[in-house]
Amino acid sequence: MKTNQSRTIYWSLLEYADWSMYIAASAEGLCYVGSANKPYEEMSEWIRKHHQSSVLERNDAIMEPYADELTAYMEGGLVRFTIPFDLVGTPFQRSVWDALCLIPYGETRSYSEIANHIGKPASVRAVGTAIGANPVLISVPCHRVIGKNGALTGYRGGMEMKTRLLALEKEAAGTHEVIQHG
């Protein structure tokens, strides 16, 4: 786990269609994407917990590349993010989040498939907990994880957000060629 040295975390409010999401990044990369239409406090509390001695500073210019890629994704034109991430988590959480990034656009995987992928087939519940702790919604695609029976399961951003993201990917993948970055 990274140390909580004093540094600046930049943030901005990303507005797209009927969603407003707070996003934040350190000098190393995107560290937080909030749930749709949640208050500033959701982000500030997460930053306080995971970057304890950091200072939050609004800076729309620094956040623009992150907002641009998230917007391109939500418009159905971006398949793979190229922006850097600054993910704070345990080695187990990081292995789960890395596995999420390998799920192809427009596809889903079950919790047990993720557990098997990381070589911990008996840790399905721990995988679920790690997925729930994913700090960067959308760009680390935890919305692509569903129940073993194909049912939609919990999502930090809410079920409506998860449903819309999965529908967006299905529609974008089926109606036009999407841009693959990276």
Side-chain angles (χ1 to χ4, degrees):
M1 188 173 273
K2 294 184 179 187
T3 61
N4 288 325
Q5 58 190 347
S6 181
R7 61 185 179 155
T8 302
I9 303 291
Y10 303 100
W11 68 273
S12 185
L13 179 62
L14 172 63
E15 297 184 273
Y16 179 78
D18 60 340
W19 284 355
S20 294
M21 293 176 286
Y22 286 95
I23 60 175
S26 69
E28 287 79 34
L30 187 68
C31 64
Y32 182 82
V33 174
S35 307
N37 305 320
K38 294 294 182 182
Y40 172 85
E41 288 74 24
E42 181 194 53
M43 176 190 67
S44 65
E45 288 172 16
W46 188 90
I47 297 294
R48 254 191 304 280
K49 181 177 179 182
H50 295 89
H51 298 275
Q52 295 167 358
S53 60
S54 295
V55 176
L56 271 170
E57 176 186 313
R58 183 167 189 164
N59 191 315
D60 296 335
I62 286 175
M63 295 305 299
E64 188 173 357
Y66 305 106
D68 287 349
E69 282 205 12
L70 286 160
T71 299
Y73 166 84
M74 290 184 285
E75 289 174 344
L78 180 74
V79 173
R80 187 174 302 131
F81 289 89
T82 62
I83 51 178
F85 298 122
D86 181 11
L87 301 175
V88 176
T90 66
F92 180 81
Q93 288 172 324
R94 304 266 320 220
S95 71
V96 170
W97 301 337
D98 288 346
L100 298 178
C101 291
L102 298 176
I103 303 172
Y105 183 91
E107 294 184 22
T108 58
R109 297 291 183 269
S110 70
Y111 294 91
S112 57
E113 287 174 308
I114 300 298
N116 286 329
H117 178 82
I118 65 168
K120 306 261 186 199
S123 62
V124 175
R125 286 186 184 210
V127 164
T129 300
I131 290 170
N134 171 21
V136 286
L137 297 180
I138 301 171
S139 43
V140 173
C142 53
H143 60 276
R144 295 180 188 154
V145 181
I146 60 173
K148 193 172 189 175
N149 64 357
L152 293 187
T153 54
Y155 184 63
R156 178 171 61 88
M159 292 306 291
E160 187 261 344
M161 186 177 185
K162 181 173 187 161
T163 301
R164 281 178 61 180
L165 293 172
L166 290 172
L168 169 112
E169 289 187 13
K170 184 176 180 182
E171 180 182 327
T175 60
H176 66 282
E177 186 175 330
V178 289
I179 302 166
Q180 289 226 11
H181 288 251

